[in-house]
Amino acid sequence: MRKLSFDIRVPVIQAPMGGGNLTTPELVAAVSNSGGLGSLAAGYLSAREIEQATRKTRALTERPFAVNLFAPGSREPLSGDVGAQLRLLGPIHDRLGLDPPAMPDRVAGLFEEQVESVLAARIPVVSFTFGLLPEDVMNRLHGQGAFVIGTATTVAEAKMLEAAGVDAVVAQGSEAGAHRGTFDVPVEPPLVGAIALVPQIVDAIRLPVIASGGIMDGRGIVAAMALGASAVQMGTAFLTCHECGAAAAYKRAVLEAADDSTSLTRAFSGRWARGIRNRFMEASNRAGAEPLSYPWQNSLTGPMRAAASRKGETAFLSLFAGQGTRLARSMSAADLMQALEREIGDAITDVSSRAGSPTGRTAPA
Amino acid sequence: MRKLSFDIRVPVIQAPMGGGNLTTPELVAAVSNSGGLGSLAAGYLSAREIEQATRKTRALTERPFAVNLFAPGSREPLSGDVGAQLRLLGPIHDRLGLDPPAMPDRVAGLFEEQVESVLAARIPVVSFTFGLLPEDVMNRLHGQGAFVIGTATTVAEAKMLEAAGVDAVVAQGSEAGAHRGTFDVPVEPPLVGAIALVPQIVDAIRLPVIASGGIMDGRGIVAAMALGASAVQMGTAFLTCHECGAAAAYKRAVLEAADDSTSLTRAFSGRWARGIRNRFMEASNRAGAEPLSYPWQNSLTGPMRAAASRKGETAFLSLFAGQGTRLARSMSAADLMQALEREIGDAITDVSSRAGSPTGRTAPA
């Protein structure tokens, strides 16, 4: 038990960052080539786009990598205040030179075609968020030897994933950037910090646990290991890497952010997500208009976000990021992976050296 | 630098838990006698009560312990909806057999007399929350050799505390139970998780950092050390100890709580605090009435909380607790301290043993 059966030397998974082509084949391959596990975010991709991205990634690495999907249960019936959202977006579209915002008739569900594409490509590690996989999909993935990773934000969700047959569970702490993986119906979005969430999940299930949320360097990785995690998943740390497809303005915003500059919002996609506070989030809060449910809000704000990304207008971009922004670094993914590996060793040496001595009194200089 | 100059063998500070006589002399002394640092919560105590409590504690231990005060800036002018709060409390008072709720004319400020009492008792470690100490108080404490600890919830607050001359900073993660120590004016209450907050504060100041929030066992302590903390402060873990003065029903509620059963509320004191969701929190939310500012709301709900505590009615009690509730244990503080010491060793051994091997693949069974 507690074994990640795919082959990695450094216990680091680059998180599948969903929107706007962030997880380029170059990023995914660089992480896998450096001894970690890269992840291609495929939740918004068509079967054809998945096929292309996995082919490009395989041209750059012979190592295993993961593909991430959204569970089909992530789609909700339309709710929220359509009129108010259109009024909020109208002037912004105008300013960005876009046609007036329009409510889509429907938002295509991609899950079935995504699964076929992932199966056809024989992806070795398949992770997913926002719920449980249908049983037949889980069986088909396992049937071809895939390692399947689910995402939990509470002990209850971790137990549901274990019961559904996943091979490992990502414990997503409240610090994590972008979407909360929450799928069990909560009183309010559960926001348990990683230092509390990870050991509680480790104690509650028998599977390997992958810690995520606010982990940015070797100190965070060793902390997660001490909490009982078998590996970590890091998003924000890779967001500012050269190979990541994020707009330069987005990367700059992350590199310049303070530790408490993020908030949770439903303004961009309809699902709760953590991002750096900006004008659109504030305008949405001020308007007081209920965002639409997912995927409707996501589809509605798509043109704004794409245009803002092209123009480097961070005011209207979803600046998804976790709470460790002050530790973000601008470097290549290979350099970051090397730094992490070195820092893991340093942090272990530091902690071990303080074990024999009265740790309360002699602390690192 | 990074040295806690008071004498502890185990890097554990028992958190000053403020309300309802939780930090009994027996609890404080047991922690200090076991090699950690006990803390007497004196924020709500008169000078005479502080004098009595410290005398009783000294009769039980020769080891150092801390006294915790609220910074005077914690008091706010009256705001909120008095009428609505009285309407909310009326039926509850009735049910608990209390006189109808009444708005206090004034709530006495205790800070000046508390400081004189602490100085007269020559307390070796003085911690405080909710702001900065007046410069003259800091100077007088330092003048008699006290070690002074402030509380920060952001990097900005940690820097303000360092500039004000504290000797160490508690980094309070979002996981922490009871009141947020936040004092710098925020857009919204900052809720940075410990795994992200601690290393960012460690990098930003030169003082020893004490990690708090969701730390319940040796795994959490070693995680905090890996993040760069010199010690940890633990509240919820000591709340369920035999020596803690919490009502039996309160302890039971903590021992039975799930990982995601807490929320932040202003309903009890006017300040944001984390507690297990109960009927009063829900009734307050439903009523939609703005709680009064601190200390007014605290004073107004005092009779309800005291009666609920006496009667074991958890529906009307402030069940303050952090996010690590599933790890809470019912035992004596001395036994808990022994367990923590053993677990620290175990966690360090575990992390070190995984250093040489591919940690991603071989994880603890």
Side-chain angles (χ1 to χ4, degrees), chain A residues 358 360-361, chain B residues 4-10 32 35-37 63-65 124-125:
Chain A
R361 284 183 293 171
Chain B
L4 298 176
S5 67
F6 50 87
D7 180 23
I8 57 175
R9 183 170 48 81
V10 190
S32 288
L37 186 79
R63 311 288 308 158
F65 60 92
V125 183

Side-chain angles (χ1 to χ4, degrees), chain B residues 169-232:
Chain B
V169 170
V170 171
Q172 187 191 36
S174 58
E175 302 88 349
H179 286 107
R180 305 297 305 150
T182 300
F183 60 92
D184 190 27
V185 184
V187 177
E188 55 188 69
L191 289 170
V192 184
I195 209 167
L197 182 66
V198 171
Q200 292 182 88
I201 290 185
V202 165
D203 288 353
I205 64 174
R206 297 167 55 88
L207 302 172
V209 174
I210 298 158
S212 80
I215 300 169
M216 298 291 289
D217 60 22
R219 294 174 295 185
I221 297 169
V222 173
M225 290 165 61
L227 296 170
S230 298
V232 302

Side-chain angles (χ1 to χ4, degrees), chain A residues 24 100 128 131 137 147 158 188 244:
Chain A
T24 59
F128 63 95
V137 173
F147 189 91
E188 54 188 68
C244 171

Side-chain angles (χ1 to χ4, degrees), chain B residues 240 248-259 261 276 325-326 328:
Chain B
T240 51
Y250 181 3
K251 291 183 182 181
R252 205 159 45 239
V254 172
L255 289 165
E256 291 170 359
D259 56 318
S261 51
I276 297 172
T325 43
R326 284 177 63 104

Side-chain angles (χ1 to χ4, degrees), chain A residues 2-3 11 155 175 188 191 193 195 200 203 213 219 225-226 229-230 259 263 323 326 352 354 359-361 363-364, chain B residues 2-4 11 155 188 191 193 195 200 203 213 219 225-226 229-230 259 263 323 326 352 354 359 361 363-364:
Chain A
R2 307 278 176 158
K3 205 161 136 53
V155 167
E175 303 88 349
E188 54 188 68
L191 289 171
I195 209 167
Q200 291 182 89
D203 288 353
R219 294 174 294 185
M225 289 165 60
S230 298
D259 56 317
S263 289
Q323 293 184 321
R326 284 177 62 106
S352 305
R354 289 154 72 192
T359 44
R361 284 183 293 171
Chain B
R2 306 277 177 161
K3 205 162 133 55
L4 298 176
V155 167
E188 55 188 69
L191 289 170
I195 209 167
Q200 292 182 88
D203 288 353
R219 294 174 295 185
M225 290 165 61
S230 298
D259 56 318
S263 289
Q323 293 183 322
R326 284 177 63 104
S352 305
R354 288 153 73 191
T359 45
R361 284 184 294 170

Side-chain angles (χ1 to χ4, degrees), chain A residues 44 85 88-89 179 263-282 284 291-302 304-305 308 314-320:
Chain A
Y44 296 120
Q85 291 301 323
L88 175 64
L89 288 168
H179 286 106
S263 289
L264 288 174
T265 184
R266 289 184 55 222
F268 291 109
S269 74
R271 280 191 165 267
W272 288 106
R274 181 179 295 287
I276 298 172
R277 283 183 293 276
N278 66 356
R279 205 160 120 195
F280 183 69
M281 277 169 68
E282 282 155 16
S284 173
L292 311 186
S293 47
Y294 179 87
W296 304 96
Q297 184 76 8
N298 190 62
S299 183
L300 188 62
T301 67
M304 172 188 74
R305 290 180 285 120
T314 55
F316 306 112
L317 191 48
S318 50
L319 300 173
F320 289 161

